[in-house]
Amino acid sequence: LGLEGRSCQVKLRSAQPAAAARVMASPGGGAVIDLVEPQHGIAPGQAAVLYDGSQVLGGGWIVGSELRIQEVA
């Protein structure tokens, strides 16, 4: 994946539609997922499944979440 990441969609709950995201390799292993739009109720222990259209790219268990506000210039 590299530090620049890859655009994808992520499903955090099976009954909800996928959300636009960017996934990047984490230096310590695993991945970091940046969501385009904030999602509520994300908690450690939930699954995250990454898609490119209908193709599954991979998935894993959420170990933490962080809210970051990015200013648009």
Side-chain angles (χ1 to χ4, degrees), residues 27-48:
V32 174
I33 300 170
D34 280 333
L35 298 164
V36 173
E37 297 289 329
Q39 301 292 311
H40 299 284
I42 299 171
Q46 281 181 263

Side-chain angles (χ1 to χ4, degrees), residues 31 43-46 61-65:
Q46 281 181 263
W61 302 111
I62 296 170
V63 295
S65 63

Side-chain angles (χ1 to χ4, degrees), residues 39-69:
Q39 301 292 311
H40 299 284
I42 299 171
Q46 281 181 263
V49 182
L50 305 169
Y51 294 88
D52 182 0
S54 62
Q55 180 181 8
V56 175
L57 299 175
W61 302 111
I62 296 170
V63 295
S65 63
E66 175 182 313
L67 175 64
R68 290 182 288 166
I69 306 296

